[in-house]
Amino acid sequence: MKSRLIKWLALPVLALCVGFAPQAVFAQADDYDDLYEEDQYEVEDTDDNLSLGIGIGLVKPDGDGEIYYSAALRFRIGKRARRYDDEGGNGRKAEPGDDYNRRHNTRHRRGHGGSNDGIRGYLEPEIGFWSRNANDPGEVDEQDLYFGLNLIGVVPTHNADFFFGAGFGLHSTDTQVFNDIGVLVDESSSRLGGNVQFGVDINMGDNWALFGLGRLDLLEDRPNDRQSKVQLGVRFRF
């Protein structure tokens, strides 16, 4: 099972790392940077550095589908800062239009004309939970509490952000099984798992978006070692 996890996850993780590496080493300049490349204003790129996503969806483990809940906090990595001089740069006096252009530079973000930053990278700690109730002899009462860390790539556009990623985490499972005489027997275990995922954020404003995603989780051992998930939710940006 471990070899299958490595096989499924190695390629997307490698693709993400290759995609983020150039961004971390070479800062990609946009059209507005060209206007001020000789100036020395100091402007921090704060677009979407932190966001919180809360979602609900369906998970398809062994057996029927169940309701799945999750929360994920994204931290941007590989962001860059732009530098411009408050005095106008190169010793020249600031012109009347400089402050407007500087502010326009800082507002060059989604919803205000898109972005030329390419793929943005994020680390995403998350927590997820689903459960199943046993109603008849032979059925299983299960709970799966997940703590994980994902590497996410986001491609921002004017109205929507497309994202993809992969990650690993720990599934803490509690199981109650009816034995032959109708008594529930408790079992608990912890298993490592990995996931691949993709989705889209529909931007509803500067500070929030609706998202949808599809995802596949692979766990070390049976039962429920392959879990397909679809989810809808809200993402708040800070």
Side-chain angles (χ1 to χ4, degrees):
M1 182 62 202
K2 292 182 180 179
S3 62
R4 186 171 68 167
L5 279 173
I6 295 173
K7 178 180 177 181
W8 275 84
L9 296 171
L11 186 58
V13 169
L14 178 61
L16 284 168
C17 293
V18 170
F20 296 153
Q23 182 180 358
V25 177
F26 302 102
Q28 180 181 357
D30 59 28
D31 294 338
Y32 290 96
D33 286 336
D34 294 338
L35 296 177
Y36 306 111
E37 60 184 358
E38 297 181 357
D39 294 343
Q40 296 299 316
Y41 289 120
E42 184 170 344
V43 179
E44 183 180 358
D45 185 356
T46 58
D47 290 352
D48 300 338
N49 290 338
L50 179 66
S51 65
L52 173 66
I54 301 173
I56 184 172
L58 292 175
V59 57
K60 187 69 165 60
D62 299 342
D64 297 331
E66 305 295 338
I67 303 296
Y68 175 72
Y69 307 91
S70 75
L73 192 63
R74 286 184 180 176
F75 299 89
R76 188 173 175 185
I77 56 177
K79 61 186 178 182
R80 63 196 175 99
R82 307 183 182 97
R83 299 186 60 85
Y84 303 104
D85 189 345
D86 289 338
E87 297 299 325
N90 298 324
R92 68 175 177 80
K93 184 178 179 180
E95 299 296 333
D98 285 347
D99 185 59
Y100 169 81
N101 291 329
R102 178 178 57 178
R103 286 185 285 108
H104 189 75
N105 232 353
T106 62
R107 291 175 59 85
H108 187 58
R109 58 188 295 182
R110 69 167 50 86
H112 297 279
S115 170
N116 294 322
D117 286 345
I119 298 177
R120 296 176 178 176
Y122 294 84
L123 286 178
E124 183 184 70
E126 70 163 328
I127 181 173
F129 176 80
W130 64 267
S131 64
R132 172 188 295 159
N133 294 325
N135 298 315
D136 300 306
E139 292 186 355
V140 177
D141 190 346
E142 298 174 283
Q143 294 183 351
D144 187 330
L145 180 62
Y146 173 74
F147 297 92
L149 181 65
N150 303 318
L151 181 61
I152 303 293
V154 176
V155 182
T157 67
H158 183 81
N159 295 316
D161 293 351
F162 300 90
F163 62 88
F164 58 96
F168 291 88
L170 183 68
H171 294 257
S172 296
T173 59
D174 292 319
T175 304
Q176 291 183 319
V177 182
F178 280 106
N179 60 19
D180 295 337
I181 60 174
V183 176
L184 281 175
V185 179
D186 293 329
E187 296 179 359
S188 298
S189 64
S190 296
R191 292 180 289 167
L192 291 175
N195 75 81
V196 290
Q197 58 181 280
F198 63 93
V200 60
D201 287 3
I202 305 298
N203 300 310
M204 308 302 294
D206 286 345
N207 299 320
W208 69 288
L210 300 177
F211 73 83
L213 69 84
R215 169 171 167 158
L216 176 64
D217 284 61
L218 298 174
L219 280 65
E220 282 186 301
D221 302 304
R222 294 180 181 274
N224 306 319
D225 61 330
R226 183 185 179 96
Q227 301 180 11
S228 301
K229 298 173 180 176
V230 292
Q231 193 171 45
L232 299 175
V234 180
R235 197 178 314 280
F236 301 97
R237 304 188 180 103
F238 307 97

